[in-house]
Amino acid sequence: MNTNIDTIAALCTAPGKAAISIVRVSGPGAFDVADAVFRGSGPKPSERTAGTFLHGFVHGADTIVDSEGQDLDEVILLLYRAPQSYTREDVVELQGHGGQAAARRILAAVLEAGARLAGPGEFTRRAFLNGRIDLVQAEAVMDLINAQSNRAANCAIDQLEGHLSSYIGDTYNKILSTAADLEAVLDFDDGELPTPILPEIMERLKSSMVSINAVLKTWEEGRLLREGAVVVIAGRPNVGKSSLLNRLLGSDRAIVTDVPGTTRDTVEETLIVHGVPMRLVDTAGLRDTDCRIEQEGITRTQGMLSRADLTLYLVDAAMGPVDDDIQQLEACDNSTTVLVANKCDLAANLLELRTGTWEIEAQVSAATGQGIERLTELMAERLGVSADDATGIYISERHRMGLLNAKKHCEAAIEQLGSEDEGLIVTAATELRSALEGLGEIIGKRYDTALLDRIFSRFCIGK
Ligand SMILES: Nc1nc2c(ncn2[C@@H]2O[C@H](COP(=O)(O)OP(=O)(O)OP(=O)(O)O)[C@@H](O)[C@H]2O)c(=O)[nH]1
Ligand SMILES: [Mg+2]
């Protein structure tokens, strides 16, 4: 452990009215800070054993303006001794009463006693630097805090428990031993190459590529689980976009009238489907208009359409797509657009319409709820979302970049080994070392301050 570090502190609970708030202190001076601010019966905190919790009061140091050593809050103090703590350092947690003032006063007293205010994610960063968790597990902490659904939380726990880390670690070790064997081949003189070993090395590399490709496939769904999907409801005025939003949400979120052009600004709300937060966006109806307010609304619709993971393009079931719809659809990406016919309760016959490449994929009635369940399933299907209870490994964008890097270098190594040019064995070995760097960066075998800053800046203060 690096002993040349300071003692940090932060409020770990959300500020505001609550039953309790927790100020956490971590570092070599944590117990000195506790001794300075805590008043209770019996020996001082620093003289207690780990795992003790003490009842007492936090008082301000005499130097704190206005406090003059007075009691600031009644607290429970928890003691953890290195390495048995979240950060693997000495840690003290002060549980006081919730609320803005009480928590702020405890934190002020702790800082006055010598601790420094922690930066975002600094406790978790220390847990990583002190070897308690790897980078992938550190990221899982934030995934868990950000999880919006049971399924996302389960996946984060899986990652925190090390499932993704072991997968990447195993692949790393496989390539490492292959690289070592390849480097051993280099010790042979030219013309004395034990050729049978090269095909075996190739096979092992191909098997590593299978592992890399398999986990790469989880990225898209992982992104949706973590960040959610933007699902835009678009179409001409009055086709029932706002009614569909309300029906999907099961609440009267957007204004519905029979006046075309009712919705001007975009209206957004989240619906969780199979654990994926879908940001449903109701938009202003698309048409030519002289009204400046409506024009601005339509500009916003176009903006949302360009950011959509999925577009539900609505048409009136009695009419099907009219020329204006076809024109709008021309600009849409077929793979991310679902053509939906609404108001099918009014249409005499269900549509069997195909317009060029466009086919009506869902027939619904926002008024009666007909077809809504099927539409929700279709949305999940088109976004590539699997069933509700599917958990396991789902990589993030950062993991994907490392894996793609490793994949590129493994592919190059396989190609070079396949060329049967002995001179290329050296280059192939170098490629494998680069592949290892890509994988090593994911779990944090290799890191620099910039990488850690990038990862932990997304954390909240106190975590
Ligand atoms: N019968 C029937 N009426 C519907 C259905 N969906 C919407 N409507 C009616 O159609 C009218 C327009 O509905 P909206 O949801 O406001 O339509 P919109 O597409 O949001 O319209 P703009 O905001 O103007 O673009 C309202 O009178 C709704 O009650 C449906 O499935 N069946
Ligand atoms: Mg509307």
Side-chain angles (χ1 to χ4, degrees):
M1 193 194 298
N2 183 357
T3 50
N4 198 14
I5 45 176
D6 54 3
T7 299
I8 53 172
L11 176 63
C12 297
T13 42
K17 278 188 191 171
I20 58 165
S21 61
I22 300 174
V23 170
R24 185 191 269 159
V25 189
S26 177
F31 294 146
D32 293 340
V33 169
D35 286 351
V37 302
F38 181 78
R39 181 177 65 77
S41 54
K44 297 188 288 187
S46 61
E47 291 162 1
R48 308 285 190 141
T49 50
T52 311
F53 61 91
L54 308 170
H55 169 260
F57 290 82
V58 163
H59 60 84
D62 290 342
T63 48
I64 297 180
V65 184
D66 291 340
S67 80
E68 292 169 357
Q70 77 177 61
D71 288 338
L72 304 174
D73 197 0
E74 183 186 21
V75 297
I76 300 292
L77 184 149
L78 273 69
L79 287 166
Y80 305 80
R81 284 192 188 272
Q84 255 119 29
S85 72
Y86 184 73
T87 54
R88 282 208 169 162
E89 299 173 334
D90 285 343
V91 169
V92 169
E93 278 178 14
L94 293 156
Q95 301 189 352
H97 293 95
Q100 298 278 3
R104 224 180 21 237
R105 276 152 43 115
I106 296 179
L107 183 60
V110 159
L111 296 179
E112 184 72 22
R116 165 176 67 76
L117 186 64
E122 201 169 353
F123 293 94
T124 312
R125 187 177 179 137
R126 289 188 175 191
F128 163 69
L129 289 171
N130 293 329
R132 194 177 69 77
I133 50 174
D134 67 23
L135 271 189
V136 166
Q137 290 171 305
E139 288 170 311
V141 170
M142 210 50 213
D143 284 347
L144 186 58
I145 291 172
N146 288 332
Q148 292 180 60
S149 69
N150 233 343
R151 182 173 166 212
N154 285 339
C155 293
I157 288 283
D158 246 39
Q159 189 172 318
L160 189 60
E161 285 175 344
H163 294 166
L164 176 56
S165 305
S166 352
Y167 192 95
I168 304 283
D170 289 351
T171 312
Y172 181 96
N173 289 335
K174 264 201 281 183
I175 297 179
L176 182 65
S177 79
T178 314
D181 289 350
L182 188 61
E183 281 158 14
V185 168
L186 293 172
D187 292 339
F188 288 87
D189 290 335
D190 281 356
E192 282 184 17
L193 271 179
T195 37
I197 201 174
L198 287 181
E200 191 224 307
I201 283 179
M202 291 265 277
E203 280 318 303
R204 281 158 63 191
L205 279 180
K206 282 179 187 162
S207 141
S208 296
M209 288 287 294
V210 171
S211 308
I212 291 176
N213 285 330
V215 77
L216 270 171
K217 282 196 192 129
T218 69
W219 168 71
E220 183 60 35
E221 197 165 358
R223 182 181 75 82
L224 294 177
L225 272 171
R226 287 184 178 89
E227 296 166 21
V230 177
V231 178
V232 175
I233 307 173
R236 285 180 307 109
N238 229 31
V239 291
K241 300 179 295 298
S242 303
S243 305
L244 179 64
L245 175 89
N246 290 347
R247 172 60 70 175
L248 285 166
L249 295 171
S251 73
D252 276 343
R253 174 70 179 83
I255 299 171
V256 169
T257 75
D258 56 4
V259 181
T262 299
T263 306
R264 303 294 177 90
D265 212 344
T266 51
V267 179
E268 300 187 15
E269 203 63 65
T270 301
L271 174 74
I272 308 281
V273 179
H274 295 327
V276 168
M278 296 199 184
R279 217 173 101 207
L280 301 180
V281 188
D282 175 28
T283 59
L286 298 160
R287 67 170 169 182
D288 286 333
T289 173
D290 293 330
C291 171
R292 276 179 43 219
I293 305 170
E294 204 179 340
Q295 277 170 355
E296 177 56 31
I298 292 169
T299 306
R300 289 184 182 201
T301 305
Q302 304 288 11
M304 282 315 301
L305 282 171
S306 67
R307 282 157 44 206
D309 291 298
L310 188 71
T311 299
L312 303 181
Y313 192 94
L314 242 63
V315 295
D316 189 313
M319 288 187 255
V322 298
D323 287 350
D324 282 353
D325 292 317
I326 306 288
Q327 214 177 326
Q328 288 294 341
L329 285 165
E330 299 282 290
C332 292
D333 179 349
N334 206 310
S335 64
T336 56
T337 307
V338 178
L339 185 52
V340 182
N342 183 37
K343 305 194 188 183
C344 66
D345 54 305
L346 294 182
N349 298 306
L350 290 187
L351 287 168
E352 275 191 31
L353 252 171
R354 179 181 278 281
T355 314
T357 47
W358 294 98
E359 183 187 351
I360 291 188
E361 289 183 73
Q363 314 236 10
V364 300
S365 165
T368 66
Q370 186 185 335
I372 295 296
E373 219 169 286
R374 167 76 197 112
L375 175 63
T376 314
E377 283 308 316
L378 187 62
M379 284 156 59
E381 218 173 89
R382 289 294 290 273
L383 284 164
V385 175
S386 37
D388 227 351
D389 53 356
T391 53
I393 290 171
Y394 291 100
I395 60 166
S396 71
E397 177 61 17
R398 189 184 76 81
H399 309 147
R400 177 171 171 261
M401 296 317 289
L403 284 158
L404 284 176
N405 196 5
K407 178 179 168 165
K408 182 181 78 186
H409 289 295
C410 278
E411 274 170 352
I414 290 172
E415 196 182 317
Q416 280 148 6
L417 292 175
S419 73
E420 290 180 10
D421 176 348
E422 288 174 15
L424 285 180
I425 293 180
V426 181
T427 339
T430 313
E431 292 288 357
L432 290 188
R433 288 287 157 190
S434 303
L436 286 169
E437 283 178 15
L439 291 177
E441 239 182 42
I442 298 175
I443 39 185
K445 275 185 189 292
R446 227 179 131 260
Y447 62 86
D448 57 22
T449 311
L451 173 68
L452 297 191
D453 287 348
R454 250 195 334 272
I455 291 175
F456 291 103
S457 62
R458 296 190 305 113
F459 279 56
C460 38
I461 289 181
K463 189 68 240 183

